[in-house]
Amino acid sequence: MKLSAFFAILSATSALGARVPGANSKITYDGYKAFRIHTGENEALVKSKVATLKETINFNMDTAEHLDVVVPPKEVEAFVALGLDSVVIHEDLGADIRAEGDFAPYESAASAAVPSITWFNSYHAYADHVTWFRDIQAAFPGNSALFSAGTSVQGRDIFGIHLWGSGGKGSKPAVYFHGTVHAREWISAKVVEYITYQLVTGYSTDSAVKAILDKYDFYIIPFVNPDGFVYSQTTNRLWRKNRQTRSGVSCVGTDINRNWPYKWELTNGASTDPCAETYKGRAAGDTAELQGVVNFTKSLAAGKGIKLYIDWHSYGNYILTPYGYSCSARPANNARQLELARNLNTKIQAVSGTRHTVGGACSTLYATIGDSTDYLTDVSKAEFAWTIELRPGSSASNGFVLPVAQILPSGQEQWEGMKWLIANM
């Protein structure tokens, strides 16, 4: 998620095309290699060496343990000559992007029929995601409704689905999920869709599912950043931000998760450079997407309140509790949050062995300001507000470009964790 100031400056002139707003030619990344560089206690030295390469692209969150970088073919020899402690995580990034597969066509389900589980065998075009949610709602008409949380800068609906149980619509505290805040993190939409699928299909057949849906209302927004997601599918697989343009600025996009109107004014944890991947905008909440989403969030907080909020991201396998803006501040219920998060990790790990690192966002990973979980904790008063970073973990041989074979396992392990968490929180 967060990228260092060093990499933000680097990416502004990189092959990501951040300085070419409106460019329509698709970036293939053929021949580009991705390396994981182990930094240890030499982070500054590693960064200074990588800085000698002019077109290397940042690829991962910035941690003190390792840096993931994408190197164009013409700089691979120079990168190897740096002698860094590194391993290859993409031998040919372009080939691995193609290996994600062509988007499988989606055939709309028959009237009132639940879509097939084969939806999770591949990635899909954005329009098919929209149709899928319409179909899943139609299969659960008495206990669900589609809603809008505003529109994107390019006019796309920021849609979501509301699910409820026997108490009736809007009668219980909210469980509130966000996906695809960062465009390239495709697996986040698939995971929240899998959770939606299990809630809908399990309500009439699984007493544990019925119990949690009777206890909480679920509000699930799969694409907080629909414009960026579409751009990542059509033009640049590694695009992160939204597609907002600003007068007098050649670079495109604002990081929606550095634009929330809380602690936005702080300086450590976002960038003021419009070309940076973590650009926070000119003012708090000045992205079109957040203007609607913040208002929707306020409506949930003012209603029955928010019990649990999760912002789903990739990658690295983390369960991050508040806060991002401070490495020393702790929520009042910090001990309870960490207890639940550690138990959640255990439940996820029991499914397929995937382990998550658990801890406060800033102290465990990096500082962030203007982010959703801090806002949900202190402004919306959500009892629990977490970021979950999905597959792959730090030992995997891939990054944002997650093979299709891992879509279903990602959903399955998170669903088993959510069933336990929501029943026990």
Side-chain angles (χ1 to χ4, degrees), residues 112-420:
V114 176
S116 169
I117 193 69
T118 58
W119 171 259
F120 301 99
N121 291 345
S122 62
Y123 294 106
H124 296 84
Y126 174 73
D128 284 342
H129 285 276
V130 176
T131 302
W132 187 88
F133 270 94
R134 290 174 180 162
D135 287 350
I136 204 80
Q137 189 280 323
F140 199 47
N143 295 80
S144 69
L146 296 176
F147 65 85
S148 175
T151 55
S152 69
V153 68
Q154 294 180 343
R156 291 183 175 88
D157 186 32
I158 302 174
F159 70 91
I161 191 166
H162 176 192
L163 308 174
W164 62 86
S166 59
K169 183 178 182 180
S171 63
K172 302 295 172 62
V175 172
Y176 185 29
F177 294 158
H178 282 178
T180 328
V181 174
H182 294 142
R184 61 195 177 192
E185 298 169 13
W186 291 4
I187 190 60
S188 65
K190 283 294 186 178
V191 165
V192 300
E193 287 170 346
Y194 189 82
I195 293 169
T196 302
Y197 182 89
Q198 292 299 329
L199 289 167
V200 168
T201 59
Y203 186 69
S204 62
T205 60
D206 186 329
S207 59
V209 175
K210 186 178 189 305
I212 61 176
L213 200 49
D214 285 345
K215 189 175 182 181
Y216 298 106
D217 278 45
F218 284 73
Y219 302 84
I220 299 169
I221 300 177
F223 297 98
V224 174
N225 182 10
D227 300 345
F229 178 71
V230 170
Y231 190 74
S232 75
Q233 291 195 320
T234 61
T235 307
N236 185 349
R237 178 63 183 86
L238 299 186
W239 189 260
R240 169 185 166 96
K241 300 183 285 184
N242 75 355
R243 294 295 299 163
Q244 185 170 357
T245 58
R246 296 178 184 271
S247 62
V249 175
S250 61
C251 293
V252 176
T254 301
D255 185 345
I256 297 172
N257 205 38
R258 300 297 185 275
N259 190 242
W260 283 78
Y262 182 68
K263 303 298 183 182
W264 179 91
E265 71 283 357
L266 301 181
T267 57
N268 183 30
S271 177
T272 58
D273 176 3
C275 297
E277 297 277 36
T278 56
Y279 176 53
K280 68 178 186 175
R282 288 176 173 166
D286 71 350
T287 52
E289 292 80 7
L290 272 191
Q291 288 166 12
V293 169
V294 166
N295 285 334
F296 182 77
T297 303
K298 287 179 178 178
S299 72
L300 294 184
K304 296 297 180 178
I306 301 170
K307 181 73 172 184
L308 170 68
Y309 168 78
I310 295 179
D311 197 3
W312 300 87
H313 287 265
S314 71
Y315 59 93
N317 289 144
Y318 290 90
I319 303 171
L320 301 173
T321 60
Y323 291 101
Y325 78 87
S326 170
C327 291
S328 58
R330 299 288 185 270
N333 62 346
N334 187 58
R336 177 62 173 156
Q337 296 219 39
L338 291 176
E339 177 189 20
L340 287 172
R342 288 167 183 147
N343 285 332
L344 171 61
N345 174 49
T346 299
K347 297 300 179 182
I348 293 171
Q349 186 179 351
V351 177
S352 51
T354 301
R355 299 182 62 179
H356 290 66
T357 301
V358 175
C362 179
S363 57
T364 301
L365 197 55
Y366 45 69
T368 57
I369 58 173
D371 73 76
S372 64
T373 53
D374 289 356
Y375 181 96
L376 266 288
T377 298
D378 284 358
V379 179
S380 302
K381 305 302 181 184
E383 188 169 348
F384 308 108
W386 300 348
T387 296
I388 293 184
E389 297 277 359
L390 298 163
R391 294 187 182 197
S394 60
S395 62
S397 60
N398 41 54
F400 297 112
V401 184
L402 192 68
V404 295
Q406 293 198 40
I407 296 173
L408 190 58
S410 295
Q412 289 169 334
E413 65 193 15
Q414 295 297 328
W415 166 241
E416 291 303 318
M418 286 299 105
K419 276 202 303 184
W420 178 88

Side-chain angles (χ1 to χ4, degrees), residues 11-28:
S11 69
T13 56
S14 73
L16 288 181
R19 292 192 184 277
V20 193
N24 293 316
S25 57
K26 188 167 186 175
I27 300 170
T28 66

